Amino acid sequence: MRNKQGMHRNRRRVLSQLTGLAVMSVAQAVHANVTPRQSLGPFYPVTLPLDSDADLTFVEGRDGRASGLITNLSGQVMDSDGNAVSGALIEIWQCDAFGAYHHPRAGGGRDPFFQGYGKTTTDESGRYRFKTIRPVAYPGRAPHIHVKITNDYQQLVTQIYVRGEPANDRDFLLNGITDLQARESLIIPFARDPSGSSDELIAEFNPVMQA
């Protein structure tokens, strides 16, 4: 009788452990889908520029376009439960085609036709769109675009990198992400428009926020 009771207790213990492992694995799977955070960096604007719309390649009042490879960056913001994150403020900032940020600590941007910063709001489906340039490298960093997403209850700060860029292998911030899948989620293609109707590049970044 005691043996049977002991067997039942062992069985319950094993089932409990298996249930715990199953719950843990689901939680880990959900967490694995969340876009990894990265530092805000030293060049977030001290004062937002007067022209801070979603087109970074044109500065209102100036007759010219930004240097660099014009890129249409778009995507959809989701949460880890698979829901669209609508009405979120999404901001991007990056250096110009000459490697300079529009920031006092960077000595000011050298391209007067590049905003350096832009913002927009996700639509009902969580979608957003920017026109910017393909990011370029500067000493110590691979090409990247900073991203900050803010909604009513949380904020995600991260960075976007260029797929196929050799400098990715040497970037200390990117390689500080030890999980390969998480690291790869920040590296996206910047490719020519497959329709051939434009010389502009297309890039798609679909960040996932914690639910």
Side-chain angles (χ1 to χ4, degrees):
M1 188 72 175
R2 287 180 180 175
N3 288 339
K4 287 186 177 180
Q5 289 176 341
M7 289 174 62
H8 287 312
R9 281 197 298 269
N10 289 337
R11 186 177 298 171
R12 284 197 298 269
R13 188 181 302 117
V14 170
L15 288 173
S16 177
Q17 290 172 343
L18 290 174
T19 301
L21 288 172
V23 170
M24 186 183 300
S25 65
V26 171
Q28 288 172 339
V30 169
H31 181 70
N33 290 330
V34 174
T35 297
R37 297 177 181 275
Q38 297 227 281
S39 65
L40 188 69
F43 300 124
Y44 181 79
V46 175
T47 303
L48 299 186
L50 294 177
D51 189 0
S52 56
D53 63 8
D55 185 353
L56 282 69
T57 68
F58 174 80
V59 178
E60 189 170 353
R62 296 180 182 174
D63 188 17
R65 281 281 177 181
S67 298
L69 295 173
I70 304 300
T71 299
N72 294 289
L73 171 66
S74 63
Q76 185 177 28
V77 183
M78 305 288 287
D79 69 23
S80 53
D81 285 340
N83 302 308
V85 179
S86 62
L89 174 66
I90 178 165
E91 305 167 77
I92 66 170
W93 63 102
Q94 65 186 100
C95 67
D96 62 27
F98 308 106
Y101 281 90
H102 288 217
H103 190 282
R105 291 181 62 183
R110 289 178 290 181
D111 186 351
F113 305 119
F114 183 60
Q115 275 182 196
Y117 167 92
K119 61 182 177 181
T120 190
T121 303
T122 57
D123 66 15
E124 292 181 355
S125 300
R127 297 191 177 280
Y128 70 90
R129 181 178 296 275
F130 288 99
K131 185 180 286 289
T132 186
I133 62 170
R134 183 191 188 277
V136 302
Y138 59 85
R141 292 302 315 276
H144 62 279
I145 298 175
H146 295 268
V147 181
K148 182 165 74 168
I149 307 169
T150 309
N151 62 9
D152 291 337
Y153 57 92
Q154 65 169 309
Q155 186 176 90
L156 170 65
V157 177
T158 192
Q159 297 178 33
I160 302 170
Y161 299 83
V162 181
R163 185 167 300 284
E165 174 60 49
N168 290 342
D169 295 336
R170 303 185 298 274
D171 191 277
F172 69 100
L173 277 178
L174 177 60
N175 289 285
I177 303 171
T178 56
D179 183 275
L180 179 60
Q181 182 180 347
R183 185 163 71 244
E184 286 293 316
S185 72
L186 300 183
I187 306 173
I188 62 173
F190 283 68
R192 294 287 181 185
D193 185 342
S195 71
S197 60
S198 171
D199 289 334
E200 297 178 356
L201 303 182
I202 294 176
E204 183 175 346
F205 179 59
N206 300 309
V208 178
M209 303 181 77
Q210 184 66 55

